[in-house]
Amino acid sequence: MWAIYLFLTILLLLLTILPKIQHSHWIFRVPEFGKIQITYFIGITFILGLLIDGSENLWYYQGLLMVMLVHHGVTLIKYTPLYPVKHIQKHRSSEHIHFISANVYQFNKEYHRFIDLVDKYHPEMFLTMESNSDWEESLRTLEKDYPFQHKVTLENTYGMHFYSKIEIMDAKTHYFVADDIPSIEIHLKTKDGFSFVFFGVHPPPPSPTEEETSKERDGDLLSTAKRVKDFHKPVIVVGDFNNVAWSKSSVLFRKVSHLIDPRIGRSFVSTFHAKYRLLRFPIDLMFHSEDIFIDKLTTLENFGSDHLPVYCEFFIDHHNDAQEERVEKATSEEKAEAEEMIQEGKEEDGNRDTVATE
């Protein structure tokens, strides 16, 4: 029992330290994803220490576990209802708008389950990621209800499709760091006269099976942050970030873009992996400008993908400055760091196949 306790303590310490090393290799970045699970295991290991007769150094290890527990807890508590966030009152605002954002998993053939999901919640707009030509063909049945669309059909697991009941005034596809990794910029106008921008992203993840480093991911996200910072209208950035909200690059994204993380004071909204609840990470993120107010942000039921879909209800209020204090802005040093990361992302060779195989 003592050997198991000692092994777990050292392993958890290693997983806590690795993300602190600012290196882009996946070995250093992947442990960031498991902060929630690491924190649970620290607590379990601490309790285990109370039940065993260890060496005279046991309490040193217990103290180390407690320090790690506090270290992770200080970060994670921000993403729970225990963290105080001012309640926002509605003023002169738009009608409520709903959207679904879903990484559909390109090789998921249960198209009808996603279509049924859209029919059940009938959002005003929805975004799919990893959607290829087969998905595009299957989703045609929804086009009568969603007459406005923007499609980027790819077979490399980075395709994107956007469908809307709200009129699209303008639509662009960006390839910030690589010519096979799109981001979409959609300008919309509601029937009650409110204009806003919906930005969809899906950068590649750092992992042993995909990209060796996080350079393309971080460069793509920070390019998006620079792009949306100067928009003079409400903006939402949503998608499979392949990142967690507490990572350095996500915090830098939030500061450079001048956007708000709606999970703070609400919940983790964990989405991946859909089939394994205890190994689920919050990597499908969302950020919004200060004039967008979130009423609901949650996951929906699994439809056969490896990601759970994200469902959001929000409204726009141009005459409410209550959220201004939640906006953090990057320092000159952070802006320079972001520029460096963007350049590194552009120089990185992702070496992806044009057509992905399962």
Side-chain angles (χ1 to χ4, degrees):
M1 188 71 77
W2 166 250
I4 294 173
Y5 170 84
L6 194 59
F7 170 78
L8 287 174
T9 302
I10 294 172
L11 176 62
L12 292 166
L13 177 62
L14 181 63
L15 293 174
T16 298
I17 291 174
L18 281 175
K20 298 298 178 185
I21 301 172
Q22 294 308 313
H23 194 286
S24 60
H25 195 278
W26 66 263
I27 289 175
F28 301 95
R29 302 279 61 88
V30 168
E32 293 175 318
F33 289 47
K35 183 180 280 286
I36 299 170
Q37 288 79 6
I38 290 169
T39 304
Y40 281 128
F41 273 105
I42 290 172
I44 292 169
T45 306
F46 182 85
I47 294 171
L48 179 63
L50 299 176
L51 303 176
I52 65 174
D53 294 323
S55 72
E56 60 183 14
N57 295 322
L58 172 64
W59 290 105
Y60 291 106
Y61 290 108
Q62 287 290 85
L64 178 61
L65 287 167
M66 182 57 67
V67 169
M68 288 192 287
L69 191 64
V70 171
H71 167 74
H72 290 293
V74 166
T75 298
L76 294 180
I77 197 171
K78 294 179 182 179
Y79 301 92
T80 73
L82 298 176
Y83 191 78
V85 173
K86 184 187 298 183
H87 178 70
I88 305 301
Q89 296 295 324
K90 184 175 176 181
H91 295 289
R92 297 174 59 188
S93 63
S94 70
E95 296 295 323
H96 282 224
I97 303 169
H98 311 76
F99 72 79
I100 291 174
S101 169
N103 182 323
V104 297
Y105 183 55
Q106 181 172 301
F107 308 103
N108 173 21
K109 303 300 182 182
E110 299 183 78
Y111 311 113
H112 66 282
R113 292 180 64 185
F114 181 74
I115 293 169
D116 290 345
L117 193 77
V118 173
D119 286 338
K120 177 180 178 180
Y121 292 96
H122 49 82
E124 282 74 22
M125 51 191 179
F126 67 89
L127 170 71
T128 63
M129 291 154 285
E130 291 201 26
S131 41
N132 61 356
S133 57
D134 291 337
W135 271 95
E136 181 177 318
E137 183 63 32
S138 297
L139 293 174
R140 290 193 191 281
T141 185
L142 293 172
E143 291 185 4
K144 62 182 183 299
D145 296 321
Y146 294 86
F148 306 102
Q149 304 123 28
H150 183 68
K151 304 173 182 179
V152 186
T153 309
L154 298 172
E155 303 295 333
N156 64 350
T157 72
Y158 290 98
M160 271 189 186
H161 290 70
F162 179 81
Y163 297 80
S164 177
K165 297 178 181 179
I166 301 171
E167 184 179 3
I168 294 177
M169 308 304 294
D170 188 24
K172 298 181 176 70
T173 302
H174 299 282
Y175 296 89
F176 289 123
V177 299
D179 60 7
D180 59 347
I181 301 295
S183 300
I184 60 171
E185 174 188 327
I186 314 292
H187 294 251
L188 304 108
K189 187 173 184 179
T190 65
K191 290 182 179 179
D192 52 351
F194 286 80
S195 297
F196 67 100
V197 181
F198 185 101
F199 219 104
V201 300
H202 182 205
S207 82
T209 59
E210 296 194 53
E211 300 307 312
E212 184 176 345
T213 75
S214 64
K215 290 180 180 180
E216 280 190 309
R217 180 198 69 183
D218 297 341
D220 189 75
L221 292 177
L222 290 168
S223 296
T224 299
K226 280 185 61 181
R227 173 73 181 171
V228 304
K229 176 178 68 68
D230 296 324
F231 286 162
H232 299 295
K233 60 176 71 172
V235 60
I236 290 173
V237 181
V238 68
D240 177 3
F241 277 57
N242 279 311
N243 206 358
V244 284
W246 47 78
S247 75
K248 182 177 181 179
S249 55
S250 279
V251 173
L252 197 56
F253 171 90
R254 177 163 49 84
K255 290 182 177 181
V256 170
S257 64
H258 300 175
L259 298 182
I260 295 168
D261 182 353
R263 297 170 189 235
I264 295 176
R266 185 175 273 107
S267 67
F268 297 119
V269 196
S270 297
T271 55
F272 177 88
H273 195 287
K275 295 179 181 178
Y276 310 113
R277 182 180 294 274
L278 296 179
L279 295 174
R280 193 171 290 170
F281 310 134
I283 63 174
D284 293 85
L285 304 183
M286 172 191 171
F287 295 86
H288 64 87
S289 56
E290 63 198 46
D291 36 19
I292 285 179
F293 296 82
I294 308 301
D295 271 354
K296 187 175 185 179
L297 182 65
T298 187
T299 56
L300 300 178
E301 55 266 36
N302 186 10
F303 59 92
S305 174
D306 52 355
H307 289 245
L308 294 177
V310 174
Y311 177 80
C312 179
E313 177 183 349
F314 70 95
F315 63 89
I316 304 167
D317 193 336
H318 293 309
H319 305 278
N320 189 337
D321 58 2
Q323 291 189 133
E324 285 186 5
E325 63 189 43
R326 297 181 63 186
V327 176
E328 295 184 65
K329 297 182 179 180
T331 64
S332 57
E333 291 81 6
E334 289 171 327
K335 290 178 182 177
E337 185 177 10
E339 290 292 346
E340 182 179 348
M341 294 169 75
I342 290 171
Q343 189 58 38
E344 288 179 349
K346 291 178 179 179
E347 294 172 356
E348 185 76 357
D349 181 9
N351 195 29
R352 283 171 294 273
D353 293 330
T354 303
V355 178
T357 56
E358 188 172 7

